[in-house]
Each structure stands twice: as structure tokens, then as C-alpha cells.
Amino acid sequence: MLHGGGLYSSFAGAQPPGVFVIGTVLEAIHDSLEWLRFAVACFQLGAGVIAGAMVLRITGSRVASILAVPLVLLTPWAVHEHGALTPELVALPVLLGAALAGAGADGGRGRLRGRGRGGSVLAGVLCGLLLLIKVPFVIPAIVVVGLSTDWRRAALWAVVVAVVGLALTWVLGGEGFWRDAVYAQTQSGSRTLGALKGFWAQALWNVIGLVVAAAIAVWLRVQAVDRRMLRMLLGLAAAMIVTFLTNFKEGTGLNITVPIEAVLVPLAVTGTVFAVRSPRAWLIGGMCAVAWLFTLAQSVSLITSPKHAQPFLRAGSSNAWYELMSASELRAAVAAARRCPDEVPYSGAPLIAFAAGRPMPGGQPDTFIIGHAPALHAFLGRVDAVARRCP
């Protein structure tokens, strides 16, 4: 796009324009892989700060709110996907920000009406943006709007932002937006029930610790200082679980677990605080401690043994979701790609092509969607027409 390519016309784009716009802005600032990962990590950090604010509102504990910030970055799939420019990571601060704003500045007690309405407006704007980042995020957007202090105002602004954003997309990208980001997605294929069971079992294994601590927050919810905020978080968590089920479609991986973890973290921290404050702190608090240790052990295993991360991988599973290349191996692959003749497209992984500054065959960086969706056969034809490639 920075070099004049048209989204949905020059190259296929399997998502709404949000992630492409963010990527273009980041690339305009600097074009290195390290900068891109750092910038996306800042989105994750921003989500952590918002999660900390949620914990403070629900529990009143400053210590817990501070601890929640890094924990959003240290859950298993947050570590696995750290710094990846994907809709799931770009949406994190938007998703949590909408929930925080929608719960109202005064916990829904009606004492600060102006600020409460302002929060609903902000929630609506952010929910409208969610649709422009990834279509399935309309599910949590609807829930956040419905649970907002002033849901009518939130709904109005969500619709306005979504309609304006989609209209601009249609003006700039034409009917290609619907073809690429919506229709083609329905043609990418579905996973078998056997494959889905493995996917879902892995995701459950990774979030079970957070779910246990979050369940304690529900059990001891009478301790909540701000019950509207807690209700908003619970509704958002349920919506994200429903959104997770969209991975029945090929092309949607377990990276959808990242926003689920981000929503569960403030709930799990809240449950831990409630457990410590309960009369049976030794028992319930011990359950939370075990849950957190299990969760963080998975994250540590990804860092210390990325080629075969245990206990990140569920018990009895094959070695999937492992590190494909170490830093040195990636540098070697990038160096090899840079030795390709000038203007000859690089036919390997898009990430290596990006890091090496090499074009992709036919100018198509998303090789998955054009290879699986018949609606995008014209883009695939451009790739097939390229005779000379490297390697």
C-alpha cells in the first residue's frame, strides 16, 4: 500500500481494512521486523494497562491492578503470538477499552451522568472499529454495546462508525472488500470434527488455569466494588468464547485464544483477590495459586524450550505450534533471500520476504486465502503467471 498497491484490487486481503491501515502506518514510520514486533507489543501492553484499570475498579486493589498489566503479556498464547501483526493482537486494546468505557465512569450508579454518556459514546466508537478489524469481532461488540451504561447511545455510535468505515472501504476498495474479506472466507474450507477436537482441547489446556481463577471471581462476586464492571467482563468473556468457535473454518488458528486470555486475566486476578479476602483464603487462595502456576509454567516453557514446549503443549498431543526458526535460522533465511536477483520474486514464507525486502510472486503476500477461495482465482492466476522465482 505504501508503494501504491491497492487493497482488494492489486492484492487480496482476507481481513477488513483495520489491520492493513495499522500496518501501513507502522511501516511508514520504520520498515524493520524488530520495529513491527515492538509496535504490536505496545498494543498488547496497552491492553494490559486497561486490564489493570478494570481490576482496580472491581477490587479496589492497586497491587492487583499493577500485577494484571504484565500478566496480559505473559499468558501462553500472548507469549506464543508476541508481536505478530494479526487482527487478534491489534484488536486487544480496542476490545478491552470498549468494555472499560461501556461500564461507565461511575460503575453505573448514575452519579456522573455526563461522563457515563461519554463512556457509552467511546464504547460505541470502539465497537464500530472492532468490525473494521475482524468480522467475527461483531459478536463481542454487540455484547459490549448491550451491557453499556447507555446502550442506545453506544449502539448509535457503533453503527455510525461501522457504516462510515465500511463506506470508505467500499469507495477505496470497491466490491473487492466484500469478495476478499467476507465471501472468500466462506470458501476457505472447514476443519473436520477430529481436527477441531484437537484444537479445542489445546486451547482449553492453555486457558484452564485462568478459567479456574475467573470462576472463583464469579463465585465470590458479592465482594465486587464495581459490579457493573464485573458484569461487563463476564459478558465479554462469554462472547469471546462464542467467537472462538469460528475456528471451525480453515485459516482461523489458535491465535484467536489471545483475546480470550486477555479478557480472562482481569477476571482471574479479581478471583485471586476475592479468594485472598475470603474466610477460607488458605483453600481458595491455594487453588488460585496452583491455577496461576500452571498457566505461567506454560508461558515459561515457550520461552525456554520453544522447539518442544512442555507443559504448553497439552498432555498426549503431538509437537505442534512450535518455533519453526530460531533467531539465527531466521537471519540466515533472510540473508539467503536478499541474495536473490533484483526484482525476482521470493517464493518462500511471506515473513522472510518482508524481512528481506523482497516482492512476493504476483504481489500476493497472502498465499493461503488465494489458494483456498475460488472467488480469488484471478489473484492466484497472477501468481501462477510468474515464471521466474527465487528460490
Side-chain angles (χ1 to χ4, degrees):
M1 292 170 68
L2 284 172
H3 295 280
L7 177 60
Y8 311 125
S9 56
S10 299
F11 63 95
Q15 302 293 345
V19 69
F20 296 101
V21 172
I22 293 296
T24 302
V25 171
L26 295 178
E27 285 299 291
I29 298 172
H30 200 275
D31 64 354
S32 72
L33 180 60
E34 292 78 7
W35 158 249
L36 192 65
R37 293 191 63 180
F38 171 78
V40 176
C42 289
F43 281 83
Q44 294 178 266
L45 179 60
V49 172
I50 297 171
M54 291 174 164
V55 172
L56 182 61
R57 284 184 54 169
I58 297 172
T59 67
S61 172
R62 294 182 179 179
V63 173
S65 68
I66 292 172
L67 290 175
V69 178
L71 287 173
V72 170
L73 283 78
L74 293 175
T75 52
W77 278 96
V79 171
H80 190 282
E81 298 295 306
H82 179 76
L85 183 63
T86 59
E88 288 75 17
L89 270 65
V90 169
L92 285 180
V94 182
L95 185 69
L96 293 182
L100 179 62
D106 60 342
R109 291 184 290 272
R111 291 186 296 203
L112 300 174
R113 292 185 179 179
R115 292 179 61 185
R117 291 179 178 177
S120 295
V121 170
L122 178 58
V125 169
L126 294 176
C127 286
L129 291 176
L130 282 173
L131 176 61
L132 301 176
I133 296 174
K134 187 166 184 173
V135 173
F137 285 157
V138 69
I139 298 172
I142 291 173
V143 171
V144 170
V145 166
L147 293 176
S148 293
T149 306
D150 187 343
W151 69 267
R152 291 181 179 84
R153 190 179 296 268
L156 172 63
W157 280 94
V159 171
V160 168
V161 171
V163 168
V164 171
L166 292 174
L168 289 174
T169 301
W170 192 275
V171 170
L172 298 176
E175 64 180 11
F177 160 68
W178 177 265
R179 179 198 61 212
D180 291 21
V182 181
Y183 182 54
Q185 291 285 1
T186 66
Q187 299 180 322
S188 63
S190 301
R191 293 187 172 94
T192 64
L193 180 59
L196 280 175
K197 288 191 295 184
F199 262 59
W200 293 345
Q202 176 65 45
L204 179 60
W205 175 271
N206 296 139
V207 303
I208 190 64
L210 297 175
V211 170
V212 168
I216 293 174
V218 178
W219 180 27
L220 302 176
R221 61 187 178 278
V222 293
Q223 296 187 31
V225 176
D226 187 338
R227 296 187 181 182
R228 181 182 288 277
M229 185 73 257
L230 179 59
R231 186 161 58 251
M232 174 69 80
L233 262 179
L234 291 173
L236 182 57
M240 289 311 304
I241 291 173
V242 175
T243 306
F244 172 81
L245 299 180
T246 59
N247 68 5
F248 75 89
K249 183 180 68 64
E250 290 283 359
T252 300
L254 283 184
N255 55 339
I256 190 64
T257 312
V258 178
I260 296 176
E261 291 177 337
V263 174
L264 287 176
V265 164
L267 283 173
V269 173
T270 295
T272 305
V273 173
F274 290 173
V276 171
R277 292 174 177 173
S278 70
R280 291 176 287 180
W282 63 274
L283 176 60
I284 308 175
M287 292 172 58
C288 288
V290 171
W292 278 111
L293 287 173
F294 179 66
T295 299
L296 295 177
Q298 296 181 39
S299 302
V300 170
S301 72
L302 280 168
I303 298 170
T304 59
S305 182
K307 294 287 188 182
H308 191 89
Q310 293 284 3
F312 171 77
L313 295 171
R314 65 180 174 85
S317 69
S318 59
N319 187 21
W321 298 289
Y322 57 89
E323 179 187 70
L324 184 62
M325 288 184 175
S326 65
S328 60
E329 291 169 335
L330 176 61
R331 285 193 293 269
V334 171
R338 286 174 176 162
R339 290 193 292 269
C340 290
D342 291 341
E343 304 304 322
V344 175
Y346 178 75
S347 61
L351 176 66
I352 296 174
F354 165 74
R358 311 299 304 183
M360 294 286 292
Q364 303 302 316
D366 192 338
T367 55
F368 174 85
I369 193 66
I370 64 174
H372 286 74
L376 303 180
H377 69 277
F379 292 107
L380 185 60
R382 297 180 192 179
V383 175
D384 293 338
V386 177
R388 191 183 179 195
R389 310 181 187 190
C390 179

